[in-house]
Amino acid sequence: MAATTRRPSHRLRTAGWLLALACGSLALGPAHAQTRDRSKPLTQEQLDQLQHKHKGLAGALDPANLAKKRPKAPFDMTGTWFVDLHEGFNKFMFGPPYPEFYEPGQKALVEGAAARAKGQNYRDSIGQCYPAGMPMIMTRVWPIMFVQLPTVIYMTAGFTNSFRAIYLDGRTHTDPDLYVPTYNGESIGKWEGDTLVVTTKGFEADHHWIDVGLPVSDEFQIVERIRQINKGNTLEIEYIMTDPKMWKGEWRNTKRWDRVLESDIGEVECTEARNANLPGTDRGQETLKEHEEKNPR
């Protein structure tokens, strides 16, 4: 069979152009100066790309979009919330029970158990400042803030200020050839009675784990069924996760979050050097070992 050459997708070509322009604004070398005259005005297409416009689709904060008449939402998630850990820290996990994993997941379970038996971390990507990603960002031991508008629900997590948007304005998921994968994916919500149903896909799979190093693929998808209970003071979210490359059927889990009245989300950055102070990270364990060697009991 003759070899074929695939052209890069539009999203990769666009992302490459934007990255080159962004990096060029920080450091210009002779080669860059020869290939692009920065004194020339930008074209409208280039400006649209820099502004991340999606032509034909109003932004969630477009005043005209916000002003459209819509049915009143059954509930408002605006507030600060913290995952319910009354039964212990294991409640932030999404299993067990686990689905029937294929080889990558089976391998992760065995390797993760072996690492923990030795007192070691397994796939400590978060400790290296990789994003926790969905669904794990929802259960880090930090509060989460939601701000709900008619067109979108914005989320900022206390843990590394991870950002998420759940669009409510009727849009559909972006063409996969145009959407650049992210760790929290692209979330589209719709109301079904008193339940908000959110479908999220378009995930970045690199160093993206669930629980103790369980991998996801580019076909990973999450459906969340969100209800507000306990007189509006508790969020209940049922997770229905699928990934035909990684496990068989659906992986289901239900969790709750309590409203927190005396907490706010501040600015947080993850820098690997600071993780030397956290024993739960690989860097922190190395620092602790070095300290013990220098200061034997």
Side-chain angles (χ1 to χ4, degrees):
M1 181 180 293
T4 59
T5 301
R6 293 186 61 185
R7 296 179 61 190
S9 68
H10 173 75
R11 70 180 180 191
L12 293 179
R13 287 184 278 116
T14 299
W17 184 89
L18 291 172
L19 180 61
L21 184 60
C23 292
S25 67
L26 298 176
L28 290 176
H32 186 86
Q34 294 173 7
T35 58
R36 183 175 295 280
D37 184 351
R38 295 176 64 85
S39 67
K40 290 183 178 181
L42 296 178
T43 66
Q44 187 59 50
E45 180 182 5
Q46 290 170 336
L47 287 172
D48 289 348
Q49 290 177 345
L50 285 172
Q51 295 170 5
H52 296 272
K53 286 186 178 179
H54 27 71
K55 292 184 179 180
L57 178 63
L61 299 183
D62 180 337
N65 197 5
L66 285 167
K68 288 181 180 179
K69 290 186 177 180
R70 295 178 172 89
K72 184 179 178 181
F75 57 81
D76 189 339
M77 291 171 59
T78 298
T80 304
W81 307 83
F82 185 71
V83 64
D84 183 357
L85 295 179
H86 288 100
E87 297 180 20
F89 279 101
N90 282 343
K91 293 301 290 184
F92 74 74
M93 304 277 282
F94 284 84
Y98 288 120
E100 181 181 336
F101 289 116
Y102 299 131
E103 193 274 336
Q106 294 173 5
K107 181 180 178 181
L109 287 176
V110 172
E111 293 179 347
R116 290 192 300 279
K118 298 177 182 179
Q120 299 174 349
N121 293 318
Y122 178 65
R123 291 181 169 171
D124 180 38
S125 298
I126 293 177
Q128 300 169 38
C129 293
Y130 280 90
M134 280 289 291
M136 293 296 283
I137 189 58
M138 299 293 293
T139 60
R140 298 304 81 194
V141 190
W142 293 63
I144 296 173
M145 175 187 73
F146 290 104
V147 176
Q148 182 170 327
L149 300 172
T151 55
V152 64
I153 297 172
Y154 289 120
M155 182 196 91
T156 302
F159 186 80
T160 68
N161 286 164
S162 184
F163 172 83
R164 184 185 181 202
I166 301 173
Y167 294 103
L168 306 173
D169 56 359
R171 69 182 69 190
T172 58
H173 281 93
T174 305
D175 183 333
D177 284 335
L178 301 179
Y179 182 74
V180 179
T182 59
Y183 285 87
N184 289 336
E186 183 182 40
S187 297
I188 307 294
K190 63 179 180 179
W191 296 101
E192 293 184 359
D194 64 352
T195 301
L196 176 62
V197 180
V198 181
T199 301
T200 305
K201 53 187 176 181
F203 287 102
E204 171 60 62
D206 181 51
H207 286 77
H208 188 167
W209 321 113
I210 302 177
D211 286 358
V212 285
L214 295 164
V216 301
S217 78
D218 57 355
E219 293 189 21
F220 179 46
Q221 180 173 302
I222 305 175
V223 174
E224 295 163 277
R225 298 187 62 83
I226 305 174
R227 296 193 308 135
Q228 200 171 72
I229 59 177
N230 188 26
K231 298 181 180 179
N233 291 311
T234 301
L235 286 179
E236 182 179 81
I237 306 180
E238 179 187 16
Y239 291 87
I240 307 168
M241 302 186 291
T242 56
D243 190 330
K245 291 183 178 179
M246 292 295 170
W247 61 80
K248 183 177 180 179
E250 297 178 342
W251 178 353
R252 288 177 175 259
N253 189 285
T254 299
K255 296 189 178 299
R256 290 185 174 183
W257 284 257
D258 298 317
R259 187 185 292 276
V260 182
L261 299 178
E262 297 177 333
S263 180
D264 293 300
I265 304 301
E267 180 182 358
V268 179
E269 289 87 16
C270 183
T271 58
E272 192 173 353
R274 292 182 179 179
N275 288 342
N277 299 319
L278 301 177
T281 66
D282 287 345
R283 182 70 179 273
Q285 287 187 349
E286 291 172 3
T287 303
L288 183 61
K289 183 178 180 180
E290 292 172 0
H291 176 77
E292 291 175 344
E293 290 175 349
K294 293 179 181 180
N295 302 278
R297 293 181 180 180

